[in-house]
Amino acid sequence: MTGSDFTVLPRHVAVIMDGNGRWAKQRGLSRSEGHIEGAKTFRRIGEYAGDLGIKHITFYAFSTENWARPQQEVAAIMHLFGDYLNEAYDRLEENRAKGIRLRFIGDRNGISKELCGLMDTLEGLTADMDKVNLNIAINYGGQQEITHAVQSIAADVKAGLLRPEDITKETIEARLYTGEQPPVDLMIRPSGEQRISNFLLWQSAYAEFWYSDVLWPDFTERHFDEALKAYEKRNRRFGGI
Ligand code: FPP
């Protein structure tokens, strides 16, 4: 498919990359091997979304709750994330030619200094790009994100920089990790689960959801097309009639 095969494209797509563990279990492999396949799917779908003309896409790579997993699995995910960062750095010119801006959303506390350094470098080196905004959520939690925004607003109120009556929806939005990016139009969750799992809570206030039983490592460009076709048919009323 190409972007022109769709009458309307979502401006912002959010993807919960779920089902890596089950995919591995079905094959008698370790959970980490499931994440290796999941990381390949992430690369393919990220690239495809950009080719279709999706302007903003956010992938959920690691949640604030995922630290509760076995240490070996956490290390494997961080390692795969590091591999991706190094690859993105090696392919910087290629990514810049495609107009890709990289952002990493989530709490940097808890992430290694080395990974944080690479994330800062990549964000800086792609900050002038605006064709495709590729966001990766790492150590991310929607409730934590809103809590941080509230803390920063409270600090400004305390310092006399902001009056409580001047706080608007935009004041809060500007302090979220996604900053000035548009709200989520379409949220994709494979693997049969039908929950939001603390992902982009504020930004998904009016998001359309698309679920499927396919496990993330088996998710293909055709599934992504299917989600976009379903989105095309939705009648979005935003609380109106
Ligand atoms: C959820 O599936 C998946 C994760 C918690 C990790 C996702 C990470 C990657 C795809 C790789 C690293 C990321 C990048 C950006 C290179 P699950 O393990 O909960 O699956 P299950 O529900 O079947 O157990």
PDB file of all heavy atoms in Angstrom, residues 67 69 86 104 109 137 145 181 198 224:
ATOM      1  N   TRP A  67      10.085  -3.152  35.016  1.00  0.00           N
ATOM      2  CA  TRP A  67      11.248  -3.454  35.868  1.00  0.00           C
ATOM      3  C   TRP A  67      10.981  -4.683  36.732  1.00  0.00           C
ATOM      4  O   TRP A  67      11.912  -5.311  37.228  1.00  0.00           O
ATOM      5  CB  TRP A  67      11.578  -2.269  36.790  1.00  0.00           C
ATOM      6  CG  TRP A  67      12.031  -1.043  36.064  1.00  0.00           C
ATOM      7  CD1 TRP A  67      11.324   0.115  35.908  1.00  0.00           C
ATOM      8  CD2 TRP A  67      13.286  -0.827  35.386  1.00  0.00           C
ATOM      9  NE1 TRP A  67      12.051   1.031  35.177  1.00  0.00           N
ATOM     10  CE2 TRP A  67      13.257   0.477  34.853  1.00  0.00           C
ATOM     11  CE3 TRP A  67      14.423  -1.612  35.173  1.00  0.00           C
ATOM     12  CZ2 TRP A  67      14.313   1.019  34.130  1.00  0.00           C
ATOM     13  CZ3 TRP A  67      15.473  -1.077  34.450  1.00  0.00           C
ATOM     14  CH2 TRP A  67      15.421   0.222  33.943  1.00  0.00           C
ATOM     15  N   ARG A  69      10.054  -7.479  35.804  1.00  0.00           N
ATOM     16  CA  ARG A  69      10.374  -8.729  35.089  1.00  0.00           C
ATOM     17  C   ARG A  69      11.735  -9.273  35.544  1.00  0.00           C
ATOM     18  O   ARG A  69      12.528  -8.521  36.110  1.00  0.00           O
ATOM     19  CB  ARG A  69      10.403  -8.449  33.590  1.00  0.00           C
ATOM     20  CG  ARG A  69       9.033  -8.073  33.104  1.00  0.00           C
ATOM     21  CD  ARG A  69       8.972  -7.953  31.618  1.00  0.00           C
ATOM     22  NE  ARG A  69       7.595  -7.696  31.253  1.00  0.00           N
ATOM     23  CZ  ARG A  69       7.023  -8.105  30.133  1.00  0.00           C
ATOM     24  NH1 ARG A  69       7.712  -8.784  29.262  1.00  0.00           N
ATOM     25  NH2 ARG A  69       5.767  -7.836  29.888  1.00  0.00           N
ATOM     26  N   ASN A  86      22.547   2.425  18.640  1.00  0.00           N
ATOM     27  CA  ASN A  86      23.833   2.434  17.923  1.00  0.00           C
ATOM     28  C   ASN A  86      23.624   2.369  16.417  1.00  0.00           C
ATOM     29  O   ASN A  86      24.290   3.057  15.654  1.00  0.00           O
ATOM     30  CB  ASN A  86      24.707   1.264  18.396  1.00  0.00           C
ATOM     31  CG  ASN A  86      25.383   1.606  19.714  1.00  0.00           C
ATOM     32  OD1 ASN A  86      26.074   2.617  19.834  1.00  0.00           O
ATOM     33  ND2 ASN A  86      25.154   0.786  20.730  1.00  0.00           N
ATOM     34  N   PHE A 104      12.769  10.128  22.606  1.00  0.00           N
ATOM     35  CA  PHE A 104      12.631   9.053  23.588  1.00  0.00           C
ATOM     36  C   PHE A 104      11.834   9.606  24.739  1.00  0.00           C
ATOM     37  O   PHE A 104      12.235  10.606  25.348  1.00  0.00           O
ATOM     38  CB  PHE A 104      14.018   8.557  24.003  1.00  0.00           C
ATOM     39  CG  PHE A 104      14.815   8.147  22.810  1.00  0.00           C
ATOM     40  CD1 PHE A 104      15.718   9.019  22.214  1.00  0.00           C
ATOM     41  CD2 PHE A 104      14.585   6.910  22.214  1.00  0.00           C
ATOM     42  CE1 PHE A 104      16.399   8.666  21.064  1.00  0.00           C
ATOM     43  CE2 PHE A 104      15.262   6.545  21.055  1.00  0.00           C
ATOM     44  CZ  PHE A 104      16.174   7.426  20.481  1.00  0.00           C
ATOM     45  N   ASN A 109      15.620   8.430  34.660  1.00  0.00           N
ATOM     46  CA  ASN A 109      16.160   7.817  35.875  1.00  0.00           C
ATOM     47  C   ASN A 109      16.002   6.312  35.771  1.00  0.00           C
ATOM     48  O   ASN A 109      14.918   5.818  35.463  1.00  0.00           O
ATOM     49  CB  ASN A 109      15.421   8.307  37.127  1.00  0.00           C
ATOM     50  CG  ASN A 109      15.711   9.755  37.410  1.00  0.00           C
ATOM     51  OD1 ASN A 109      16.868  10.173  37.394  1.00  0.00           O
ATOM     52  ND2 ASN A 109      14.662  10.533  37.619  1.00  0.00           N
ATOM     53  N   ALA A 137       8.927   4.913  23.621  1.00  0.00           N
ATOM     54  CA  ALA A 137       8.650   5.074  25.052  1.00  0.00           C
ATOM     55  C   ALA A 137       9.485   4.061  25.819  1.00  0.00           C
ATOM     56  O   ALA A 137       9.371   2.855  25.611  1.00  0.00           O
ATOM     57  CB  ALA A 137       7.160   4.856  25.309  1.00  0.00           C
ATOM     58  N   GLU A 145       3.947  10.277  33.937  1.00  0.00           N
ATOM     59  CA  GLU A 145       4.138  11.448  33.071  1.00  0.00           C
ATOM     60  C   GLU A 145       3.250  12.607  33.538  1.00  0.00           C
ATOM     61  O   GLU A 145       3.700  13.757  33.638  1.00  0.00           O
ATOM     62  CB  GLU A 145       3.776  11.055  31.629  1.00  0.00           C
ATOM     63  CG  GLU A 145       3.841  12.199  30.641  1.00  0.00           C
ATOM     64  CD  GLU A 145       3.440  11.765  29.233  1.00  0.00           C
ATOM     65  OE1 GLU A 145       2.476  10.986  29.092  1.00  0.00           O
ATOM     66  OE2 GLU A 145       4.093  12.211  28.276  1.00  0.00           O
ATOM     67  N   GLN A 181       3.490  17.595  20.153  1.00  0.00           N
ATOM     68  CA  GLN A 181       3.008  16.614  19.162  1.00  0.00           C
ATOM     69  C   GLN A 181       1.490  16.420  19.300  1.00  0.00           C
ATOM     70  O   GLN A 181       0.929  16.586  20.378  1.00  0.00           O
ATOM     71  CB  GLN A 181       3.745  15.277  19.342  1.00  0.00           C
ATOM     72  CG  GLN A 181       5.251  15.412  19.102  1.00  0.00           C
ATOM     73  CD  GLN A 181       5.939  14.067  19.018  1.00  0.00           C
ATOM     74  OE1 GLN A 181       5.757  13.340  18.058  1.00  0.00           O
ATOM     75  NE2 GLN A 181       6.728  13.738  20.017  1.00  0.00           N
ATOM     76  N   ASN A 198      -1.405   1.918  30.858  1.00  0.00           N
ATOM     77  CA  ASN A 198      -0.657   3.108  31.293  1.00  0.00           C
ATOM     78  C   ASN A 198       0.102   3.789  30.147  1.00  0.00           C
ATOM     79  O   ASN A 198       1.091   4.470  30.378  1.00  0.00           O
ATOM     80  CB  ASN A 198       0.321   2.703  32.424  1.00  0.00           C
ATOM     81  CG  ASN A 198       0.661   3.851  33.344  1.00  0.00           C
ATOM     82  OD1 ASN A 198       0.037   4.909  33.326  1.00  0.00           O
ATOM     83  ND2 ASN A 198       1.695   3.670  34.158  1.00  0.00           N
ATOM     84  N   PHE A 224      -0.829  -3.662   9.725  1.00  0.00           N
ATOM     85  CA  PHE A 224      -0.821  -2.206   9.888  1.00  0.00           C
ATOM     86  C   PHE A 224      -1.828  -1.577   8.901  1.00  0.00           C
ATOM     87  O   PHE A 224      -2.608  -0.700   9.275  1.00  0.00           O
ATOM     88  CB  PHE A 224       0.602  -1.669   9.653  1.00  0.00           C
ATOM     89  CG  PHE A 224       0.819  -0.262  10.159  1.00  0.00           C
ATOM     90  CD1 PHE A 224       0.921  -0.012  11.517  1.00  0.00           C
ATOM     91  CD2 PHE A 224       0.925   0.798   9.279  1.00  0.00           C
ATOM     92  CE1 PHE A 224       1.126   1.281  11.990  1.00  0.00           C
ATOM     93  CE2 PHE A 224       1.130   2.097   9.745  1.00  0.00           C
ATOM     94  CZ  PHE A 224       1.234   2.335  11.098  1.00  0.00           C
TER      95      PHE A 224
END
